[in-house]
Amino acid sequence: MFALTPVVRALLILNVLVFIVTNDAIISQFGLHSFLSDRFNPIQLLTHMFLHGGFNHILSNMIGLIVFGPMLERYWGARRFTFFYFFCGIGAALLFSGINYFEIRDVYESVRDYRANPTPAGFIAFVDTQAQSFYDQAAAFIDRFEQQPTNPQLIDGSLQIVNRLYQEQVDQPMVGASGAIFGVIMGFGLLFPNTQLFLLFPPIPIKAKYLVIFYGAIEVYSGLYRAQSDNVAHFAHIGGMLFAFILVKYWGSQRKTFY
C-alpha cells in the first residue's frame, strides 16, 4: 500500500468525487476552452484540472499522483507541494492555450479563405488539412459538389460544414490533471534522479531521471507531429514538465530550508 500524504489524499478524493458527478454539461462549463471560444472563462484554467474524460484518463493520472506525489510532499511540506501542483497545472494550461490559440487562428484563416472562394477544390483542401478525420463522412458530399460546383445549395452546404468543423474545434474543451501530474513526475525526477522505479510495461527497472527524459521526448515528438485523430493535449504535458523544471530550479537557487 502507498502511504498517502495529506495533500495527495485530498487531491485524490477531490478528483474522484468530481469524476463521479461529471457530465457533459459540467465539462462544457468547466473544461478549458480556447481563448477564441465564447465559452472561455478564466476560472477554467483551474477547474479543468479536476475533470477527466473517462475512467482510464483519471486512473492513469491518479496513479501518477499516488506514486510520485507523496515523496515530493514529504520533501517540501504540504504548502509548497500544493503550490507546486497548481503552479504546474495552471502553467500547463497556459502553454497549451497559447499554442492552441495559434493553431485555431490558422484554422480560422483557412475558413476565411474558403468563405471568400467556396469551390470543390477549396473544400477538399480544407477538409484534408484541417479535418482529415472527417473526410470519409464527407466523401459523398464531395462527389456531388465536384459534379455541380456552381450549385448554390451545395455551396451553402459546404460553408455550413466548414463553419461547423471550425466551431467544433474552437469549442472543444481540454480536461484533466495531466499537466500537474507531469509536473509532479518532472519534480520527482529532478529531486530523486537515481531512484529506481519498476515499470509494469515492460517490467524492467529504470532510474527516475531516465523515465522523465523518456516521457519528455515522447510528449515533444507527439506534440510536434500530432495526428488529427489524436485528442491528447501533449503540450499541456510538456507545459507541466517545463513549469516544474523552472520552479524546482528556482527554489533550488534560493538555498532555503523547505518547511
Side-chain angles (χ1 to χ4, degrees), residues 65-80:
L65 177 64
I66 292 170
V67 171
F68 299 103
M71 283 189 68
L72 293 183
E73 186 176 345
R74 293 188 190 100
Y75 183 81
W76 281 324
R79 186 172 62 179
R80 281 206 177 227

Side-chain angles (χ1 to χ4, degrees), residues 156-219:
D156 183 63
S158 72
L159 289 169
Q160 291 182 30
I161 292 173
V162 166
N163 290 333
R164 177 169 59 82
L165 291 173
Y166 168 73
Q167 204 60 46
E168 287 176 355
Q169 291 193 46
V170 79
D171 286 337
Q172 179 67 36
M174 190 270 282
V175 298
S178 301
I181 300 303
F182 271 78
V184 168
I185 294 172
M186 170 62 86
F188 187 95
L190 291 171
L191 295 175
F192 312 106
N194 295 314
T195 299
Q196 288 280 0
L197 303 171
F198 196 83
L199 301 181
L200 293 178
F201 304 103
I204 58 172
I206 184 174
K207 290 185 177 180
K209 58 185 177 183
Y210 298 131
L211 181 65
V212 167
I213 292 172
F214 174 76
Y215 270 138
I218 290 294
E219 291 304 319

Side-chain angles (χ1 to χ4, degrees), residues 24-25 35 38 48 63-65 73 84 98 129 139 156 174 182 200 244:
D24 290 342
F35 291 152
D38 294 336
H48 83 280
I63 288 176
L65 177 64
E73 186 176 345
F84 175 83
T129 58
D156 183 63
M174 190 270 282
F182 271 78
L200 293 178

Side-chain angles (χ1 to χ4, degrees), residues 114-115 117-120 123 141 144-145 148-165:
Y114 183 74
R115 288 171 178 168
N117 185 30
T119 65
F123 182 76
F141 177 85
R144 292 198 305 273
F145 196 14
Q148 305 175 60
T150 60
N151 186 318
Q153 291 184 332
L154 294 177
I155 292 174
D156 183 63
S158 72
L159 289 169
Q160 291 182 30
I161 292 173
V162 166
N163 290 333
R164 177 169 59 82
L165 291 173

Side-chain angles (χ1 to χ4, degrees), residues 225-255:
Y225 301 99
R226 182 170 63 92
Q228 289 187 352
S229 59
D230 183 358
N231 63 354
V232 177
H234 296 289
F235 282 109
H237 301 170
I238 296 168
M241 299 181 83
L242 175 62
F243 276 78
F245 180 86
I246 292 170
L247 189 56
V248 170
K249 292 301 181 182
Y250 173 72
W251 281 347
S253 68
Q254 290 183 310
R255 299 182 180 278

Side-chain angles (χ1 to χ4, degrees), residues 21-33 39 44 47 51 173 175:
V21 302
T22 293
N23 55 36
D24 290 342
I26 290 175
I27 289 179
S28 178
Q29 183 172 357
F30 295 106
L32 179 60
H33 289 276
R39 299 180 183 180
Q44 295 167 357
T47 56
L51 301 171
V175 298

